[in-house]
Amino acid sequence: MAQDVLNALTLGALYLLFALGMSLAWGTINVLNFAHGSIFMFAAFVAHLLVAEVALPMPVLILVGIVVGALLSLLVQVLAFEPIQRRAQSSHKAELQILVGGIGIAIIPLSIAQYVTRSVPFGYSAGDFEVTSYDLGFVRISNVAIITLIAAFGLAAVLGWWLKRSRSGLALRAIGVDAEVASIMGVDRRRLALLTMAVAGGLAGLAGVLLTYYLGSIAPETGDAFLLKAFAAIILGGVGSILGVTLGAIVLASIETLVLVTTEGTWAPAIAFGVIFVMLLVRPNGLLGRKEVKRT
Amino acid sequence: MNSTASCWRRAPRAVALSALVVSLAACSAPGGEAGGSGGSGGGEGLPDTIKIMSINGLTGPVAFAGTNAQKGTELALEEIEADGLLDDTTIEVEFLDSAADVEEAASMASQAIADPSYAAILGPSASAQASAISPIVEQAGIPTVYVQAGSDGVLVGDYTYRLTPPATSYYAIVGPYVETQGIATASVIFNSGNPTLVQLGEETVPGLAEEFGFEIVGSTGVDVTAQDFTTPASEVANEAPDAVFLELTGPQFPTAITQLRQAGFEGEIIGFSAMGSGNLASAAEVSVDSVWPTNYTPTQADEGSQAFLEAYEATYDETPNNYAAEAYDAMWFLARGIAEAGSADRAAIQEGLDAIAEEGFAGAQGAITFDEHDARVPGVLVRWDGEAEALVEPTS
C-alpha cells in the first residue's frame, strides 16, 4: 500500500514537472503552447548529445536542459507567437492560432531528433550519475525518484509563491485577467511575456533532463505522450492555478495507479480521463481554476 | 417540348455514357488487360524496366524501420541485377516516404494503381497504413508485399503478401528455454494498445505456461504510450516471479527494464523482437541478459543469413537488423515472382508469387515458408550482452 502511494506520488511528480511550464504560460499570458512537449524532449536530447561526448554530472546536464529549453521557448515566442498575437483580430483568435502554431512548430525539433536517433531511445548512461535504489522495508525508492519528487513539488511551491507574492507575479496575473488593463496600469506585457516563456521553457528543459534520468531513457515521441497528461492535469486542476495543476497531476496519477493496482491495467487511461470528464461537467473551471469575470 | 423527341436526343448520350462505364469497369477489374501491366513494353516477356513503388515511413516515428528496410531493398536490387535473375530487365524501385500518415500511404498506393507502369508495391511497415491500403490494392489487383505490418486486415486476399512472420508464429521457441532455466513462475506486462502485443500477453504466453508447466502469477496491461512503469514494476517485484515477460514497443523496453531492476526484481527478463535493433542500448548494464525470440539476428547460422550479413556489412559497413533482413527477403521474393511469371503483368506476377510461396526459399531470415500469403521462419532466441545480440543455443 505504501509503495503504491509512493508510486502514485512519483507519477504525479512526473506529470507536474512536465505541466508546470505549460500551466504557467497558459494561466498568465494565455499561451497554450503545444510545442512544450518538443521543447521538453529536445532539451533532454541536447543533453544526451553532450553526455555522449563527455561524461558530465547531473547538475550540469540539468543546467544544459534549462538553458536549451529557455532559449527554444524564447525563439518560439519571438518568431511565432508574438507575430500571431500582433496580427490576430482578437485575443480569442490569437489563442487558437497559437495552439495550432505550436502543434506545427513542435514537428521541427521532433523531426530533427527522430532523424538523428532514428527513434531509438536515448538516455544518459554515458554520464557519471548512478541510479541507486534504497530498500526502506515498507517502500523502495531510488535517488532519482527522490530528486524528482523534491524538484516537482519544490518548484511548484516556489512558482506558486512567486506568482502570488511578488510584484512581477502580480503583474503576470494581471495580464492573465485582462491584458489591456494591465498594460494601461504600466505592466510591460512584452517583457513579462518573454520572461514567462523563458521560465516555462526552462521548466520544460529541467523536466526533460530529470525525467530522462528517472525513466532511464526517452524517445523523441515521449514529449507528445506527456502533453495530453499535462493538459488533463491543468484542466482538472484549473487553468491559472499552480496549486490546481499540482492537485490535478496528483489526482490523475492516483487514479491511474489505483486502476493499475486493482485491475489488469488496460482501462487506466480511459477511467482516468473519464473521471476528469465527469469532474468537468460538475465543475467546469476545474478544482481551483480562476473564475471568469463577466461584465453586466 | 416533344417528349418523344427529347428522349431520342438523350439516347446517344446515354449510349456513350454506358460505353464509358463499361470500359472503366473493364479497366479496374483485377487482371484486366487494359490496366494490369506494369513497366514499359508490356505484353509477352519482360520489359527493359519494371517499376515498383516502395511506400514506407522514411521519416517520423517509424523511420528506423523504414530507412533500414530501404537499405535491405537496395542491397537486394544490386544482387538481383548482378545475379541476372531477370536477364537484361532492370527493376526500378521508387522509394516514397509516407512518414506516419495513413492518408499519405493511401494516396501513394492509389497513384501506383492508376499508373500502369507500376508492376507491384512494396507496402508500408506500419500496420495502420498497411491495413488502409490493402483493400484498395486487392481490389485493383496490384501485387503488394509488406514487411512488419503485423495486424489483422493487412493480408486480405490474393494480391497481398507479408515477409515478416508474426511473432506469435515463432514465439514458442521460448518454451524449451524456460523449461531449461527452471522457470516455475512468471509475470506478464504487455502493451494493451497493440494487437500483436495483446495477443502475445493474453494468449501466447499463457499458452506457453500451460504447455511448459510454469505459472502466470500476474498480468498487467499498460497504456499504448506508457512511459512510466513504476507501478507494474512494483507489482512484479512483489510477486517475485522467476521471470517476467515484457510485450512492449521498442522505446518502452529500456524504461520498463530499468524500473523493474530498480523495484528489486532480479529474475529473467524475456521479451519480444522489438527489443532488438539497439533499443536496449540506453538501458546499459541493467538490460544485460535479457532474452527474446526473433525472426532474425545477425549471428544466426543459416547460409542465407550469413551471405546476407556479409554482403550488408561490405556495402554499408554496419551490422544489419531485422528490418533490413525482412525488406531484403521481400525484394528477392518479388523478383523471384516476376521471374516465375516471365512478365510484368500484375496478374501474372501474382501467380508467380503464389508459386514461389508454395516452394518457399532461403533468405536472410533463414528458410522461409508460407502459410498462405504470410511468411513463416523457424525463429531464433537471442540474448543481449550489453553491446550486441548473441545467439542462445537451441535446447530440445
Side-chain angles (χ1 to χ4, degrees):
Chain A
M1 172 77 172
Q3 187 66 58
D4 295 331
V5 171
L6 179 63
N7 290 345
L9 266 178
T10 315
L11 184 60
L14 292 185
Y15 293 158
L16 177 59
L17 255 182
F18 185 95
L20 269 179
M22 212 168 149
S23 175
L24 175 67
W26 192 12
T28 55
I29 58 173
N30 293 320
V31 168
L32 176 52
N33 182 10
F34 268 82
H36 188 81
S38 273
I39 293 171
F40 154 96
M41 177 278 299
F42 201 77
F45 174 61
V46 170
H48 158 76
L49 291 177
L50 284 174
V51 83
E53 302 297 325
V54 184
L56 296 169
M58 188 198 236
V60 173
L61 289 183
I62 287 176
L63 192 60
V64 167
I66 292 171
V67 168
V68 171
L71 284 174
L72 271 178
S73 196
L74 273 174
L75 215 59
V76 169
Q77 173 68 11
V78 167
L79 295 179
F81 295 166
E82 271 185 357
I84 288 173
Q85 285 168 324
R86 268 199 302 274
R87 288 172 191 147
Q89 290 171 348
S90 68
S91 60
H92 177 69
K93 281 198 174 138
E95 279 186 53
L96 219 56
Q97 286 166 8
I98 283 171
L99 194 154
V100 174
I103 294 171
I105 288 163
I107 293 170
I108 301 169
L110 176 65
S111 301
I112 295 170
Q114 281 174 339
Y115 178 78
V116 174
T117 65
R118 293 287 184 257
S119 289
V120 173
F122 57 87
Y124 306 136
S125 52
D128 66 4
F129 180 82
E130 251 192 65
V131 178
T132 313
S133 290
Y134 307 108
D135 191 342
L136 305 176
F138 63 104
V139 288
R140 206 180 160 91
I141 190 168
S142 67
N143 52 356
V144 76
I146 294 170
I147 295 169
T148 303
L149 282 162
I150 293 171
F153 294 110
L155 280 169
V158 166
L159 208 55
W161 176 88
W162 176 65
L163 280 172
K164 227 174 168 67
R165 301 280 183 220
S166 69
R167 279 185 70 84
S168 45
L170 177 63
L172 256 185
R173 285 189 291 124
I175 295 174
V177 174
D178 193 319
E180 293 298 330
V181 171
S183 214
I184 293 167
M185 299 299 284
V187 172
D188 186 340
R189 281 164 56 185
R190 185 169 192 258
R191 190 181 69 84
L192 274 177
L194 288 174
L195 174 67
T196 303
M197 288 302 284
V199 171
L203 285 169
L206 166 74
V209 172
L210 265 184
L211 291 188
T212 305
Y213 271 113
Y214 180 79
L215 297 173
S217 58
I218 64 170
E221 299 80 20
T222 300
D224 291 341
F226 271 108
L227 209 54
L228 188 58
K229 299 286 172 74
F231 186 68
I234 296 169
I235 292 290
L236 177 60
V239 182
S241 169
I242 296 297
L243 181 59
V245 71
T246 305
L247 281 177
I250 293 172
V251 168
L252 180 62
S254 300
I255 296 172
E256 287 186 356
T257 304
L258 181 66
V259 175
L260 270 171
V261 166
T262 54
T263 70
E264 258 200 2
T266 53
W267 290 95
I271 292 173
F273 282 89
V275 169
I276 291 169
F277 171 67
V278 168
M279 168 62 210
L280 289 176
L281 287 179
V282 170
R283 201 176 163 83
N285 286 340
L287 291 166
L288 299 173
R290 61 169 186 253
K291 291 187 180 54
E292 295 286 332
V293 176
K294 287 194 182 355
R295 293 178 187 280
T296 54
Chain B
M1 178 180 291
N2 185 308
S3 63
T4 306
S6 68
C7 182
W8 278 111
R9 272 196 290 274
R10 282 200 291 270
R13 195 186 308 164
V15 167
L17 276 173
S18 302
L20 178 62
V21 167
V22 166
S23 61
L24 280 174
C27 284
S28 64
E33 284 181 12
S37 295
S40 57
E44 295 296 317
L46 292 171
D48 296 335
T49 309
I50 295 177
K51 273 179 73 178
I52 312 277
M53 180 183 283
S54 167
I55 303 170
N56 216 338
L58 303 177
T59 55
V62 294
F64 189 71
T67 51
N68 280 283
Q70 183 172 349
K71 287 184 199 170
T73 304
E74 286 175 338
L75 178 63
L77 280 172
E78 263 178 44
E79 291 185 353
I80 290 161
E81 181 93 15
D83 181 76
L85 176 70
L86 302 175
D87 296 325
D88 294 328
T89 296
T90 304
I91 295 181
E92 191 183 290
V93 176
E94 188 179 350
F95 293 96
L96 298 185
D97 180 13
S98 58
D101 202 309
V102 171
E103 287 80 19
E104 197 68 35
S107 167
M108 290 167 182
S110 300
Q111 188 191 326
I113 290 165
D115 184 345
S117 67
Y118 288 103
I121 295 174
L122 291 169
S125 309
S127 288
Q129 297 179 27
S131 49
I133 76 170
S134 279
I136 55 177
V137 301
E138 180 66 29
Q139 208 269 327
I142 180 167
T144 302
V145 181
Y146 297 103
V147 292
Q148 294 289 305
S151 75
D152 287 340
V154 172
L155 301 182
V156 297
D158 294 338
Y159 283 81
T160 49
Y161 301 82
R162 181 167 53 207
L163 263 291
T164 301
T168 47
S169 67
Y170 57 79
Y171 204 88
I173 60 175
V174 169
Y177 173 79
V178 167
E179 212 169 36
T180 313
Q181 297 298 109
I183 290 166
T185 55
S187 295
V188 185
I189 300 176
F190 63 94
N191 181 313
S192 62
N194 181 301
T196 301
L197 301 176
V198 170
Q199 190 178 359
L200 284 170
E202 292 187 335
E203 292 173 22
T204 310
V205 173
L208 281 180
E210 214 171 293
E211 189 182 340
F212 291 95
F214 61 91
E215 186 192 352
I216 307 277
V217 296
S219 182
T220 306
V222 295
D223 185 33
V224 64
T225 57
Q227 304 294 316
D228 178 62
F229 294 85
T230 314
T231 299
S234 297
E235 299 271 294
V236 168
N238 283 342
E239 288 152 6
D242 297 324
V244 63
F245 285 83
L246 295 179
E247 315 300 349
L248 305 169
T249 59
Q252 292 177 314
F253 278 116
T255 302
I257 294 172
T258 301
Q259 292 182 333
L260 274 168
R261 296 303 187 205
Q262 284 173 7
F265 174 70
E266 293 173 357
E268 285 256 11
I269 292 177
I270 302 172
F272 155 69
S273 58
M275 265 181 172
S277 307
N279 274 320
L280 295 188
S282 59
E285 298 93 36
V286 298
S287 62
V288 167
D289 287 338
S290 298
V291 162
W292 67 92
T294 181
N295 56 315
Y296 172 79
T297 191
T299 48
Q300 66 191 70
D302 305 83
E303 206 179 304
S305 309
Q306 287 302 305
F308 165 69
L309 172 66
E310 212 176 293
Y312 193 95
E313 285 181 334
T315 306
Y316 298 112
D317 196 26
E318 66 185 45
T319 311
N321 54 32
N322 58 301
Y323 304 114
E326 292 155 11
Y328 174 91
D329 285 341
M331 189 64 247
W332 264 107
F333 174 59
L334 190 49
R336 286 188 169 99
I338 294 169
E340 178 73 21
S343 160
D345 178 76
R346 293 172 180 178
I349 291 173
Q350 185 273 320
E351 286 173 14
L353 288 172
D354 271 357
I356 301 298
E358 183 132 351
E359 296 166 8
F361 63 96
Q365 298 175 80
I368 300 174
T369 56
F370 285 81
D371 179 356
E372 295 187 3
H373 287 202
D374 207 4
R376 293 288 183 270
V377 298
V380 288
L381 203 59
V382 298
R383 182 191 306 280
W384 177 248
D385 69 7
E387 287 180 13
E389 298 169 20
L391 209 54
V392 175
E393 289 305 319
T395 53
S396 54

